[in-house]
PDB file of all heavy atoms in Angstrom:
ATOM      1  N   ASP G 320      98.572 120.154 136.733  1.00 81.00           N
ATOM      2  CA  ASP G 320      99.117 120.969 135.657  1.00 81.00           C
ATOM      3  C   ASP G 320     100.295 120.249 135.012  1.00 81.00           C
ATOM      4  O   ASP G 320     100.593 119.092 135.350  1.00 81.00           O
ATOM      5  CB  ASP G 320      99.524 122.359 136.174  1.00 81.00           C
ATOM      6  CG  ASP G 320     100.592 122.287 137.273  1.00 81.00           C
ATOM      7  OD1 ASP G 320     101.278 121.253 137.385  1.00 81.00           O
ATOM      8  OD2 ASP G 320     100.747 123.278 138.015  1.00 81.00           O
ATOM      9  N   ARG G 322     103.363 120.532 135.425  1.00 79.00           N
ATOM     10  CA  ARG G 322     104.462 120.199 136.334  1.00 79.00           C
ATOM     11  C   ARG G 322     104.109 119.050 137.273  1.00 79.00           C
ATOM     12  O   ARG G 322     104.980 118.526 137.956  1.00 79.00           O
ATOM     13  CB  ARG G 322     104.842 121.432 137.161  1.00 79.00           C
ATOM     14  CG  ARG G 322     105.304 122.625 136.344  1.00 79.00           C
ATOM     15  CD  ARG G 322     105.475 123.842 137.238  1.00 79.00           C
ATOM     16  NE  ARG G 322     104.237 124.133 137.954  1.00 79.00           N
ATOM     17  CZ  ARG G 322     104.179 124.881 139.052  1.00 79.00           C
ATOM     18  NH1 ARG G 322     105.277 125.401 139.559  1.00 79.00           N
ATOM     19  NH2 ARG G 322     103.015 125.110 139.642  1.00 79.00           N
ATOM     20  N   GLY G 323     102.816 118.687 137.332  1.00 83.00           N
ATOM     21  CA  GLY G 323     102.397 117.601 138.210  1.00 83.00           C
ATOM     22  C   GLY G 323     101.755 118.059 139.492  1.00 83.00           C
ATOM     23  O   GLY G 323     101.451 117.234 140.360  1.00 83.00           O
ATOM     24  N   TYR G 324     101.536 119.382 139.658  1.00 87.00           N
ATOM     25  CA  TYR G 324     100.883 119.897 140.856  1.00 87.00           C
ATOM     26  C   TYR G 324      99.376 119.982 140.646  1.00 87.00           C
ATOM     27  O   TYR G 324      98.901 120.253 139.544  1.00 87.00           O
ATOM     28  CB  TYR G 324     101.407 121.295 141.200  1.00 87.00           C
ATOM     29  CG  TYR G 324     102.802 121.304 141.765  1.00 87.00           C
ATOM     30  CD1 TYR G 324     103.855 121.887 141.063  1.00 87.00           C
ATOM     31  CD2 TYR G 324     103.069 120.736 143.007  1.00 87.00           C
ATOM     32  CE1 TYR G 324     105.151 121.898 141.579  1.00 87.00           C
ATOM     33  CE2 TYR G 324     104.349 120.738 143.533  1.00 87.00           C
ATOM     34  CZ  TYR G 324     105.384 121.321 142.812  1.00 87.00           C
ATOM     35  OH  TYR G 324     106.647 121.314 143.343  1.00 87.00           O
ATOM     36  N   LEU G 325      98.612 119.787 141.740  1.00 88.00           N
ATOM     37  CA  LEU G 325      97.161 119.887 141.669  1.00 88.00           C
ATOM     38  C   LEU G 325      96.737 121.329 141.375  1.00 88.00           C
ATOM     39  O   LEU G 325      97.340 122.278 141.877  1.00 88.00           O
ATOM     40  CB  LEU G 325      96.534 119.449 142.995  1.00 88.00           C
ATOM     41  CG  LEU G 325      96.546 117.948 143.308  1.00 88.00           C
ATOM     42  CD1 LEU G 325      95.889 117.706 144.664  1.00 88.00           C
ATOM     43  CD2 LEU G 325      95.835 117.155 142.232  1.00 88.00           C
ATOM     44  N   ARG G 356      94.960 109.449 145.959  1.00 88.00           N
ATOM     45  CA  ARG G 356      95.963 110.507 145.771  1.00 88.00           C
ATOM     46  C   ARG G 356      97.187 110.261 146.647  1.00 88.00           C
ATOM     47  O   ARG G 356      98.335 110.481 146.229  1.00 88.00           O
ATOM     48  CB  ARG G 356      95.370 111.872 146.108  1.00 88.00           C
ATOM     49  CG  ARG G 356      96.337 113.025 145.810  1.00 88.00           C
ATOM     50  CD  ARG G 356      95.764 114.362 146.212  1.00 88.00           C
ATOM     51  NE  ARG G 356      95.979 114.667 147.608  1.00 88.00           N
ATOM     52  CZ  ARG G 356      97.012 115.389 148.088  1.00 88.00           C
ATOM     53  NH1 ARG G 356      97.929 115.848 147.264  1.00 88.00           N
ATOM     54  NH2 ARG G 356      97.124 115.626 149.369  1.00 88.00           N
ATOM     55  N   LEU G 359      99.315 107.743 145.000  1.00 85.00           N
ATOM     56  CA  LEU G 359      99.976 108.363 143.852  1.00 85.00           C
ATOM     57  C   LEU G 359     101.117 109.253 144.314  1.00 85.00           C
ATOM     58  O   LEU G 359     102.187 109.312 143.693  1.00 85.00           O
ATOM     59  CB  LEU G 359      98.948 109.184 143.060  1.00 85.00           C
ATOM     60  CG  LEU G 359      99.290 109.602 141.633  1.00 85.00           C
ATOM     61  CD1 LEU G 359      99.489 108.391 140.737  1.00 85.00           C
ATOM     62  CD2 LEU G 359      98.185 110.487 141.075  1.00 85.00           C
ATOM     63  N   LEU G 360     100.909 109.906 145.454  1.00 82.00           N
ATOM     64  CA  LEU G 360     101.888 110.840 146.000  1.00 82.00           C
ATOM     65  C   LEU G 360     103.124 110.122 146.539  1.00 82.00           C
ATOM     66  O   LEU G 360     104.262 110.561 146.327  1.00 82.00           O
ATOM     67  CB  LEU G 360     101.225 111.652 147.113  1.00 82.00           C
ATOM     68  CG  LEU G 360     101.940 112.874 147.682  1.00 82.00           C
ATOM     69  CD1 LEU G 360     101.967 113.993 146.658  1.00 82.00           C
ATOM     70  CD2 LEU G 360     101.242 113.349 148.950  1.00 82.00           C
ATOM     71  N   LEU G 361     102.907 108.993 147.220  1.00 81.00           N
ATOM     72  CA  LEU G 361     104.003 108.341 147.940  1.00 81.00           C
ATOM     73  C   LEU G 361     104.483 107.042 147.318  1.00 81.00           C
ATOM     74  O   LEU G 361     105.642 106.661 147.505  1.00 81.00           O
ATOM     75  CB  LEU G 361     103.575 108.060 149.385  1.00 81.00           C
ATOM     76  CG  LEU G 361     103.265 109.288 150.249  1.00 81.00           C
ATOM     77  CD1 LEU G 361     102.753 108.843 151.600  1.00 81.00           C
ATOM     78  CD2 LEU G 361     104.497 110.150 150.398  1.00 81.00           C
ATOM     79  N   TRP G 365     106.689 108.350 140.242  1.00 79.00           N
ATOM     80  CA  TRP G 365     107.162 109.721 140.371  1.00 79.00           C
ATOM     81  C   TRP G 365     106.682 110.268 141.715  1.00 79.00           C
ATOM     82  O   TRP G 365     105.596 110.826 141.822  1.00 79.00           O
ATOM     83  CB  TRP G 365     106.625 110.591 139.236  1.00 79.00           C
ATOM     84  CG  TRP G 365     107.106 110.156 137.882  1.00 79.00           C
ATOM     85  CD1 TRP G 365     108.046 109.218 137.600  1.00 79.00           C
ATOM     86  CD2 TRP G 365     106.654 110.655 136.620  1.00 79.00           C
ATOM     87  NE1 TRP G 365     108.208 109.094 136.244  1.00 79.00           N
ATOM     88  CE2 TRP G 365     107.380 109.957 135.615  1.00 79.00           C
ATOM     89  CE3 TRP G 365     105.732 111.618 136.246  1.00 79.00           C
ATOM     90  CZ2 TRP G 365     107.184 110.200 134.263  1.00 79.00           C
ATOM     91  CZ3 TRP G 365     105.546 111.848 134.898  1.00 79.00           C
ATOM     92  CH2 TRP G 365     106.266 111.160 133.916  1.00 79.00           C
ATOM     93  N   PRO G 366     107.458 110.111 142.786  1.00 86.00           N
ATOM     94  CA  PRO G 366     107.025 110.585 144.104  1.00 86.00           C
ATOM     95  C   PRO G 366     106.713 112.084 144.066  1.00 86.00           C
ATOM     96  O   PRO G 366     107.453 112.872 143.481  1.00 86.00           O
ATOM     97  CB  PRO G 366     108.234 110.292 144.998  1.00 86.00           C
ATOM     98  CG  PRO G 366     108.988 109.221 144.283  1.00 86.00           C
ATOM     99  CD  PRO G 366     108.774 109.467 142.828  1.00 86.00           C
ATOM    100  N   GLY G 367     105.614 112.445 144.719  1.00 86.00           N
ATOM    101  CA  GLY G 367     105.203 113.840 144.740  1.00 86.00           C
ATOM    102  C   GLY G 367     104.173 114.179 143.691  1.00 86.00           C
ATOM    103  O   GLY G 367     103.651 115.301 143.676  1.00 86.00           O
ATOM    104  N   MET G 368     103.830 113.215 142.819  1.00 87.00           N
ATOM    105  CA  MET G 368     102.825 113.485 141.791  1.00 87.00           C
ATOM    106  C   MET G 368     101.486 113.764 142.445  1.00 87.00           C
ATOM    107  O   MET G 368     101.094 113.103 143.409  1.00 87.00           O
ATOM    108  CB  MET G 368     102.704 112.270 140.861  1.00 87.00           C
ATOM    109  CG  MET G 368     101.989 112.567 139.564  1.00 87.00           C
ATOM    110  SD  MET G 368     102.956 113.661 138.528  1.00 87.00           S
ATOM    111  CE  MET G 368     101.823 113.902 137.157  1.00 87.00           C
ATOM    112  N   ALA G 369     100.782 114.762 141.941  1.00 87.00           N
ATOM    113  CA  ALA G 369      99.496 115.222 142.478  1.00 87.00           C
ATOM    114  C   ALA G 369      99.675 115.910 143.830  1.00 87.00           C
ATOM    115  O   ALA G 369      98.749 115.944 144.647  1.00 87.00           O
ATOM    116  CB  ALA G 369      98.492 114.074 142.583  1.00 87.00           C
ATOM    117  N   ALA G 370     100.855 116.474 144.073  1.00 89.00           N
ATOM    118  CA  ALA G 370     101.072 117.238 145.301  1.00 89.00           C
ATOM    119  C   ALA G 370     100.331 118.570 145.218  1.00 89.00           C
ATOM    120  O   ALA G 370     100.145 119.127 144.136  1.00 89.00           O
ATOM    121  CB  ALA G 370     102.564 117.481 145.523  1.00 89.00           C
ATOM    122  N   ALA G 371      99.938 119.074 146.384  1.00 88.00           N
ATOM    123  CA  ALA G 371      99.211 120.340 146.419  1.00 88.00           C
ATOM    124  C   ALA G 371     100.151 121.533 146.267  1.00 88.00           C
ATOM    125  O   ALA G 371      99.752 122.573 145.757  1.00 88.00           O
ATOM    126  CB  ALA G 371      98.430 120.458 147.723  1.00 88.00           C
ATOM    127  N   ASP G 372     101.422 121.372 146.715  1.00 88.00           N
ATOM    128  CA  ASP G 372     102.381 122.483 146.646  1.00 88.00           C
ATOM    129  C   ASP G 372     103.791 121.900 146.690  1.00 88.00           C
ATOM    130  O   ASP G 372     103.976 120.695 146.926  1.00 88.00           O
ATOM    131  CB  ASP G 372     102.153 123.463 147.800  1.00 88.00           C
ATOM    132  CG  ASP G 372     102.105 122.774 149.161  1.00 88.00           C
ATOM    133  OD1 ASP G 372     102.934 121.870 149.399  1.00 88.00           O
ATOM    134  OD2 ASP G 372     101.226 123.119 149.969  1.00 88.00           O
ATOM    135  N   PRO G 373     104.825 122.738 146.472  1.00 88.00           N
ATOM    136  CA  PRO G 373     106.209 122.229 146.482  1.00 88.00           C
ATOM    137  C   PRO G 373     106.604 121.570 147.794  1.00 88.00           C
ATOM    138  O   PRO G 373     107.376 120.605 147.795  1.00 88.00           O
ATOM    139  CB  PRO G 373     107.041 123.494 146.209  1.00 88.00           C
ATOM    140  CG  PRO G 373     106.130 124.393 145.441  1.00 88.00           C
ATOM    141  CD  PRO G 373     104.767 124.142 146.013  1.00 88.00           C
ATOM    142  N   ARG G 374     106.101 122.082 148.923  1.00 89.00           N
ATOM    143  CA  ARG G 374     106.447 121.481 150.211  1.00 89.00           C
ATOM    144  C   ARG G 374     105.994 120.023 150.260  1.00 89.00           C
ATOM    145  O   ARG G 374     106.764 119.126 150.644  1.00 89.00           O
ATOM    146  CB  ARG G 374     105.805 122.268 151.352  1.00 89.00           C
ATOM    147  CG  ARG G 374     106.261 121.812 152.749  1.00 89.00           C
ATOM    148  CD  ARG G 374     105.386 122.416 153.834  1.00 89.00           C
ATOM    149  NE  ARG G 374     105.334 123.856 153.745  1.00 89.00           N
ATOM    150  CZ  ARG G 374     106.214 124.672 154.323  1.00 89.00           C
ATOM    151  NH1 ARG G 374     107.210 124.174 155.026  1.00 89.00           N
ATOM    152  NH2 ARG G 374     106.084 125.985 154.192  1.00 89.00           N
ATOM    153  N   GLU G 375     104.755 119.760 149.873  1.00 91.00           N
ATOM    154  CA  GLU G 375     104.228 118.386 149.890  1.00 91.00           C
ATOM    155  C   GLU G 375     104.990 117.509 148.910  1.00 91.00           C
ATOM    156  O   GLU G 375     105.243 116.331 149.177  1.00 91.00           O
ATOM    157  CB  GLU G 375     102.734 118.396 149.566  1.00 91.00           C
ATOM    158  CG  GLU G 375     102.069 117.044 149.784  1.00 91.00           C
ATOM    159  CD  GLU G 375     100.568 117.088 149.566  1.00 91.00           C
ATOM    160  OE1 GLU G 375     100.114 117.846 148.684  1.00 91.00           O
ATOM    161  OE2 GLU G 375      99.847 116.350 150.265  1.00 91.00           O
ATOM    162  N   CYS G 376     105.375 118.067 147.778  1.00 89.00           N
ATOM    163  CA  CYS G 376     106.139 117.305 146.780  1.00 89.00           C
ATOM    164  C   CYS G 376     107.500 116.878 147.329  1.00 89.00           C
ATOM    165  O   CYS G 376     107.906 115.722 147.208  1.00 89.00           O
ATOM    166  CB  CYS G 376     106.309 118.154 145.510  1.00 89.00           C
ATOM    167  SG  CYS G 376     107.390 117.412 144.268  1.00 89.00           S
ATOM    168  N   LEU G 377     108.216 117.820 147.957  1.00 90.00           N
ATOM    169  CA  LEU G 377     109.533 117.503 148.511  1.00 90.00           C
ATOM    170  C   LEU G 377     109.424 116.513 149.669  1.00 90.00           C
ATOM    171  O   LEU G 377     110.249 115.598 149.797  1.00 90.00           O
ATOM    172  CB  LEU G 377     110.220 118.784 148.973  1.00 90.00           C
ATOM    173  CG  LEU G 377     110.561 119.797 147.866  1.00 90.00           C
ATOM    174  CD1 LEU G 377     111.133 121.068 148.467  1.00 90.00           C
ATOM    175  CD2 LEU G 377     111.541 119.195 146.865  1.00 90.00           C
ATOM    176  N   LEU G 378     108.412 116.681 150.522  1.00 92.00           N
ATOM    177  CA  LEU G 378     108.225 115.747 151.646  1.00 92.00           C
ATOM    178  C   LEU G 378     107.952 114.337 151.136  1.00 92.00           C
ATOM    179  O   LEU G 378     108.457 113.348 151.687  1.00 92.00           O
ATOM    180  CB  LEU G 378     107.073 116.220 152.537  1.00 92.00           C
ATOM    181  CG  LEU G 378     107.334 117.454 153.393  1.00 92.00           C
ATOM    182  CD1 LEU G 378     106.057 117.901 154.098  1.00 92.00           C
ATOM    183  CD2 LEU G 378     108.436 117.172 154.418  1.00 92.00           C
ATOM    184  N   ALA G 379     107.154 114.232 150.075  1.00 90.00           N
ATOM    185  CA  ALA G 379     106.851 112.906 149.521  1.00 90.00           C
ATOM    186  C   ALA G 379     108.114 112.238 148.984  1.00 90.00           C
ATOM    187  O   ALA G 379     108.327 111.033 149.189  1.00 90.00           O
ATOM    188  CB  ALA G 379     105.805 113.046 148.412  1.00 90.00           C
ATOM    189  N   GLN G 380     108.969 113.004 148.314  1.00 90.00           N
ATOM    190  CA  GLN G 380     110.209 112.424 147.789  1.00 90.00           C
ATOM    191  C   GLN G 380     111.136 111.992 148.922  1.00 90.00           C
ATOM    192  O   GLN G 380     111.786 110.938 148.838  1.00 90.00           O
ATOM    193  CB  GLN G 380     110.919 113.438 146.888  1.00 90.00           C
ATOM    194  CG  GLN G 380     110.156 113.759 145.613  1.00 90.00           C
ATOM    195  CD  GLN G 380     110.898 114.752 144.738  1.00 90.00           C
ATOM    196  OE1 GLN G 380     112.034 114.519 144.338  1.00 90.00           O
ATOM    197  NE2 GLN G 380     110.247 115.878 144.441  1.00 90.00           N
ATOM    198  N   LEU G 381     111.205 112.793 149.972  1.00 92.00           N
ATOM    199  CA  LEU G 381     112.065 112.439 151.112  1.00 92.00           C
ATOM    200  C   LEU G 381     111.583 111.167 151.792  1.00 92.00           C
ATOM    201  O   LEU G 381     112.391 110.340 152.233  1.00 92.00           O
ATOM    202  CB  LEU G 381     112.114 113.593 152.115  1.00 92.00           C
ATOM    203  CG  LEU G 381     112.946 114.814 151.695  1.00 92.00           C
ATOM    204  CD1 LEU G 381     112.723 115.970 152.658  1.00 92.00           C
ATOM    205  CD2 LEU G 381     114.431 114.447 151.637  1.00 92.00           C
ATOM    206  N   ARG G 382     110.262 110.994 151.891  1.00 90.00           N
ATOM    207  CA  ARG G 382     109.729 109.819 152.593  1.00 90.00           C
ATOM    208  C   ARG G 382     109.978 108.525 151.830  1.00 90.00           C
ATOM    209  O   ARG G 382     109.841 107.442 152.401  1.00 90.00           O
ATOM    210  CB  ARG G 382     108.236 110.015 152.847  1.00 90.00           C
ATOM    211  CG  ARG G 382     107.941 111.090 153.887  1.00 90.00           C
ATOM    212  CD  ARG G 382     106.478 111.145 154.282  1.00 90.00           C
ATOM    213  NE  ARG G 382     106.239 112.143 155.314  1.00 90.00           N
ATOM    214  CZ  ARG G 382     105.615 113.301 155.123  1.00 90.00           C
ATOM    215  NH1 ARG G 382     105.137 113.596 153.909  1.00 90.00           N
ATOM    216  NH2 ARG G 382     105.447 114.157 156.111  1.00 90.00           N
ATOM    217  N   THR G 383     110.292 108.611 150.559  1.00 87.00           N
ATOM    218  CA  THR G 383     110.606 107.399 149.798  1.00 87.00           C
ATOM    219  C   THR G 383     112.072 106.975 149.960  1.00 87.00           C
ATOM    220  O   THR G 383     112.448 105.888 149.522  1.00 87.00           O
ATOM    221  CB  THR G 383     110.327 107.611 148.303  1.00 87.00           C
ATOM    222  OG1 THR G 383     111.183 108.637 147.785  1.00 87.00           O
ATOM    223  CG2 THR G 383     108.874 107.988 148.057  1.00 87.00           C
ATOM    224  N   LEU G 384     112.900 107.829 150.584  1.00 88.00           N
ATOM    225  CA  LEU G 384     114.317 107.512 150.764  1.00 88.00           C
ATOM    226  C   LEU G 384     114.523 106.659 152.022  1.00 88.00           C
ATOM    227  O   LEU G 384     113.673 106.608 152.902  1.00 88.00           O
ATOM    228  CB  LEU G 384     115.130 108.807 150.878  1.00 88.00           C
ATOM    229  CG  LEU G 384     115.034 109.786 149.692  1.00 88.00           C
ATOM    230  CD1 LEU G 384     115.848 111.040 149.975  1.00 88.00           C
ATOM    231  CD2 LEU G 384     115.487 109.120 148.402  1.00 88.00           C
ATOM    232  N   LEU G 394     113.591 116.341 156.467  1.00 93.00           N
ATOM    233  CA  LEU G 394     112.135 116.398 156.640  1.00 93.00           C
ATOM    234  C   LEU G 394     111.738 117.577 157.524  1.00 93.00           C
ATOM    235  O   LEU G 394     110.737 118.260 157.260  1.00 93.00           O
ATOM    236  CB  LEU G 394     111.625 115.083 157.248  1.00 93.00           C
ATOM    237  CG  LEU G 394     111.572 113.876 156.307  1.00 93.00           C
ATOM    238  CD1 LEU G 394     111.327 112.589 157.096  1.00 93.00           C
ATOM    239  CD2 LEU G 394     110.468 114.066 155.263  1.00 93.00           C
ATOM    240  N   VAL G 397     112.208 120.915 155.434  1.00 90.00           N
ATOM    241  CA  VAL G 397     111.143 121.148 154.456  1.00 90.00           C
ATOM    242  C   VAL G 397     109.812 121.402 155.155  1.00 90.00           C
ATOM    243  O   VAL G 397     109.034 122.269 154.749  1.00 90.00           O
ATOM    244  CB  VAL G 397     111.029 119.945 153.492  1.00 90.00           C
ATOM    245  CG1 VAL G 397     109.832 120.109 152.561  1.00 90.00           C
ATOM    246  CG2 VAL G 397     112.309 119.805 152.677  1.00 90.00           C
ATOM    247  N   GLY G 398     109.547 120.653 156.229  1.00 89.00           N
ATOM    248  CA  GLY G 398     108.258 120.788 156.902  1.00 89.00           C
ATOM    249  C   GLY G 398     108.125 122.042 157.739  1.00 89.00           C
ATOM    250  O   GLY G 398     107.038 122.608 157.860  1.00 89.00           O
ATOM    251  N   LEU G 401     111.084 125.801 155.451  1.00 85.00           N
ATOM    252  CA  LEU G 401     111.306 125.894 154.007  1.00 85.00           C
ATOM    253  C   LEU G 401     111.604 127.337 153.578  1.00 85.00           C
ATOM    254  O   LEU G 401     112.422 127.578 152.683  1.00 85.00           O
ATOM    255  CB  LEU G 401     110.080 125.366 153.257  1.00 85.00           C
ATOM    256  CG  LEU G 401     110.270 125.121 151.750  1.00 85.00           C
ATOM    257  CD1 LEU G 401     111.400 124.143 151.502  1.00 85.00           C
ATOM    258  CD2 LEU G 401     108.974 124.594 151.131  1.00 85.00           C
ATOM    259  N   VAL G 430     118.125 117.846 150.241  1.00 88.00           N
ATOM    260  CA  VAL G 430     116.921 118.527 149.746  1.00 88.00           C
ATOM    261  C   VAL G 430     117.165 119.055 148.330  1.00 88.00           C
ATOM    262  O   VAL G 430     116.311 118.924 147.445  1.00 88.00           O
ATOM    263  CB  VAL G 430     116.518 119.672 150.689  1.00 88.00           C
ATOM    264  CG1 VAL G 430     115.364 120.474 150.086  1.00 88.00           C
ATOM    265  CG2 VAL G 430     116.130 119.126 152.047  1.00 88.00           C
ATOM    266  N   LEU G 433     116.625 116.806 145.237  1.00 86.00           N
ATOM    267  CA  LEU G 433     115.277 116.361 144.870  1.00 86.00           C
ATOM    268  C   LEU G 433     114.779 117.094 143.635  1.00 86.00           C
ATOM    269  O   LEU G 433     115.294 118.151 143.253  1.00 86.00           O
ATOM    270  CB  LEU G 433     114.319 116.587 146.044  1.00 86.00           C
ATOM    271  CG  LEU G 433     114.711 115.941 147.377  1.00 86.00           C
ATOM    272  CD1 LEU G 433     113.744 116.366 148.466  1.00 86.00           C
ATOM    273  CD2 LEU G 433     114.766 114.425 147.251  1.00 86.00           C
ATOM    274  N   GLN G 434     113.715 116.531 143.032  1.00 82.00           N
ATOM    275  CA  GLN G 434     113.086 117.182 141.887  1.00 82.00           C
ATOM    276  C   GLN G 434     112.279 118.388 142.367  1.00 82.00           C
ATOM    277  O   GLN G 434     111.530 118.284 143.328  1.00 82.00           O
ATOM    278  CB  GLN G 434     112.137 116.198 141.183  1.00 82.00           C
ATOM    279  CG  GLN G 434     112.835 115.062 140.464  1.00 82.00           C
ATOM    280  CD  GLN G 434     113.422 115.495 139.125  1.00 82.00           C
ATOM    281  OE1 GLN G 434     113.175 116.594 138.659  1.00 82.00           O
ATOM    282  NE2 GLN G 434     114.194 114.620 138.518  1.00 82.00           N
ATOM    283  N   PRO G 435     112.418 119.545 141.704  1.00 79.00           N
ATOM    284  CA  PRO G 435     111.641 120.716 142.140  1.00 79.00           C
ATOM    285  C   PRO G 435     110.159 120.605 141.838  1.00 79.00           C
ATOM    286  O   PRO G 435     109.362 121.354 142.383  1.00 79.00           O
ATOM    287  CB  PRO G 435     112.277 121.859 141.352  1.00 79.00           C
ATOM    288  CG  PRO G 435     112.860 121.201 140.137  1.00 79.00           C
ATOM    289  CD  PRO G 435     113.303 119.840 140.583  1.00 79.00           C
ATOM    290  N   HIS G 436     109.784 119.695 140.954  1.00 80.00           N
ATOM    291  CA  HIS G 436     108.372 119.463 140.641  1.00 80.00           C
ATOM    292  C   HIS G 436     108.175 117.975 140.389  1.00 80.00           C
ATOM    293  O   HIS G 436     109.128 117.250 140.102  1.00 80.00           O
ATOM    294  CB  HIS G 436     107.936 120.288 139.429  1.00 80.00           C
ATOM    295  CG  HIS G 436     108.900 120.223 138.283  1.00 80.00           C
ATOM    296  ND1 HIS G 436     109.083 119.089 137.510  1.00 80.00           N
ATOM    297  CD2 HIS G 436     109.756 121.143 137.789  1.00 80.00           C
ATOM    298  CE1 HIS G 436     109.994 119.326 136.594  1.00 80.00           C
ATOM    299  NE2 HIS G 436     110.421 120.551 136.735  1.00 80.00           N
ATOM    300  N   PRO G 437     106.952 117.461 140.493  1.00 80.00           N
ATOM    301  CA  PRO G 437     106.734 116.012 140.433  1.00 80.00           C
ATOM    302  C   PRO G 437     107.073 115.371 139.080  1.00 80.00           C
ATOM    303  O   PRO G 437     107.543 114.242 139.048  1.00 80.00           O
ATOM    304  CB  PRO G 437     105.238 115.860 140.731  1.00 80.00           C
ATOM    305  CG  PRO G 437     104.851 117.112 141.429  1.00 80.00           C
ATOM    306  CD  PRO G 437     105.714 118.182 140.853  1.00 80.00           C
ATOM    307  N   VAL G 438     106.805 116.039 137.975  1.00 76.00           N
ATOM    308  CA  VAL G 438     107.014 115.420 136.666  1.00 76.00           C
ATOM    309  C   VAL G 438     108.489 115.167 136.453  1.00 76.00           C
ATOM    310  O   VAL G 438     109.311 116.085 136.553  1.00 76.00           O
ATOM    311  CB  VAL G 438     106.438 116.302 135.540  1.00 76.00           C
ATOM    312  CG1 VAL G 438     106.785 115.719 134.179  1.00 76.00           C
ATOM    313  CG2 VAL G 438     104.927 116.406 135.685  1.00 76.00           C
ATOM    314  N   GLU G 439     108.811 113.929 136.132  1.00 61.00           N
ATOM    315  CA  GLU G 439     110.204 113.509 136.032  1.00 61.00           C
ATOM    316  C   GLU G 439     110.942 114.202 134.902  1.00 61.00           C
ATOM    317  O   GLU G 439     112.027 114.738 135.061  1.00 61.00           O
ATOM    318  CB  GLU G 439     110.250 111.987 135.838  1.00 61.00           C
ATOM    319  CG  GLU G 439     111.652 111.411 135.875  1.00 61.00           C
ATOM    320  CD  GLU G 439     111.630 109.908 135.667  1.00 61.00           C
ATOM    321  OE1 GLU G 439     111.065 109.469 134.647  1.00 61.00           O
ATOM    322  OE2 GLU G 439     112.151 109.184 136.511  1.00 61.00           O
TER     323      GLU G 439
END
Side-chain angles (χ1 to χ4, degrees):
D320 60 20
R322 300 172 304 161
Y324 287 114
L325 287 180
R356 185 183 85 94
L359 197 62
L360 191 70
L361 297 175
W365 297 352
M368 196 68 184
D372 51 42
R374 187 192 305 273
E375 189 175 35
C376 173
L377 295 175
L378 288 173
Q380 294 181 57
L381 286 170
R382 290 188 178 108
T383 63
L384 302 178
L394 285 168
V397 174
L401 192 58
V430 174
L433 304 174
Q434 291 282 351
H436 46 71
V438 174
E439 186 180 55

